[in-house]
Amino acid sequence: MADEADDLDLSTLDDDELVQQMHEDLYDGLADEILEGVNILLERKWEPYRVLTEALVEGMRIVGIDFRDGILFVPEVLLAANAMKGGMVVLRPLLAETGAPKQGSMVIGTVKGDIHDIGKNLVGMMLEGAGFDIFNIGINNDADAFLEALDEHKPDFLGMSALLTTTMPYMKVVIDTMKERGIRDDYTVLVGGAPLNEAFADSVGADAYCRDAAVAVETAKALVIERRKASSAAAG
């Protein structure tokens, strides 16, 4: 697909063809083409939120499915996510101006003693591609760092990552500290990393375990829908 895209004038495509081509360019990690496509759609008077959802989010959804199914691998998904981020540079300020709806928001970081960040960054980029605001606080975060970020950003979710069996128990320290300060129920806590499993997530008091970035997106979106239904029921 990439060779064909090199010779393709995106401006000659109609809207539907252009969006389809952008899905393919995202899949191939073609950042320049994604940026060009975003600008063309905006010039055609597309609303920024429509560009985000139909061109970028839907494209990343396809990437996420193939990642989950083992067709794509981490390096390829990182390329796709980076291509998407180029388009987001243009769209983000426009979305802020228009007050476009967001899926939700998340503070995400690797726990104390752990400096692994590729998986965490991939989760963050794919969630951003799915319409979430992401506040990535990096690696080696103690409980205070997580709580300061929660206090500053007031997200819907807290995401914690660990790749070492020696650091994964620190997730319980963070959750216990949240309980001590009376804020545990204010946030949905997602945990992930190679040595984790659902039983571990349950044992530390997390709301969900996410096996990989694609599952993290699916889980977060499902929990947002669940929470909105609960809010509507309570209001009704």
Side-chain angles (χ1 to χ4, degrees):
M1 283 188 277
D3 291 339
E4 294 173 13
D6 290 340
D7 302 322
L8 186 62
D9 182 352
L10 296 180
S11 64
T12 64
L13 303 178
D14 67 28
D15 288 2
D16 288 343
E17 291 170 335
L18 177 55
V19 168
Q20 179 60 42
Q21 184 61 45
M22 289 175 71
H23 293 169
E24 295 178 11
D25 289 344
L26 259 181
Y27 199 93
D28 291 333
L30 303 179
D32 291 344
E33 285 79 355
I34 291 301
L35 183 59
E36 182 183 356
V38 166
N39 284 320
I40 290 171
L41 289 174
L42 291 172
E43 288 166 6
R44 294 180 183 178
K45 308 303 181 187
W46 276 46
E47 291 292 324
Y49 185 67
R50 186 182 177 199
V51 179
L52 172 68
T53 54
E54 294 187 24
L56 300 188
V57 172
E58 177 59 19
M60 285 303 293
R61 186 186 71 81
I62 296 166
V63 170
I65 289 171
D66 279 4
F67 176 54
R68 181 196 65 200
D69 293 344
I71 298 168
L72 291 177
F73 299 96
V74 168
E76 296 157 313
V77 179
L78 284 171
L79 280 174
N82 278 317
M84 178 273 301
K85 286 184 76 173
M88 288 300 298
V89 169
V90 174
L91 289 176
R92 192 175 288 111
L94 300 175
L95 291 165
E97 286 175 16
T98 57
K102 299 292 290 185
Q103 284 276 4
S105 57
M106 178 185 287
V107 162
I108 187 170
T110 307
V111 298
K112 182 179 178 181
D114 204 316
I115 60 171
H116 295 90
D117 65 354
I118 291 177
K120 166 186 62 67
N121 292 345
L122 182 57
V123 169
M125 287 190 288
M126 288 191 65
L127 279 166
E128 188 173 26
F132 287 80
D133 284 324
I134 299 299
F135 307 101
N136 189 335
I137 62 173
I139 59 175
N140 194 25
N141 291 286
D142 62 15
D144 286 340
F146 279 111
L147 268 63
E148 285 170 14
L150 293 177
D151 188 54
E152 178 182 355
H153 300 295
K154 297 291 191 292
D156 303 296
F157 296 90
L158 168 62
M160 289 189 287
S161 171
L163 198 65
L164 303 173
T165 55
T166 53
T167 59
M168 55 192 260
Y170 195 80
M171 293 176 173
K172 186 174 190 304
V173 175
V174 177
I175 293 172
D176 286 348
T177 304
M178 293 171 69
K179 290 176 181 175
E180 290 167 10
R181 301 194 188 177
I183 62 169
R184 171 62 185 89
D185 293 340
D186 297 338
Y187 304 99
T188 301
V189 179
L190 307 182
V191 296
L196 278 65
N197 55 37
E198 288 186 15
F200 173 80
D202 290 341
S203 73
V204 299
D207 292 292
Y209 156 70
C210 301
R211 185 183 71 248
D212 56 36
V215 172
V217 172
E218 293 172 0
T219 302
K221 289 171 73 172
L223 288 169
V224 166
I225 292 169
E226 198 175 291
R227 188 170 59 241
R228 285 175 181 164
K229 284 181 180 176
S231 297
S232 297

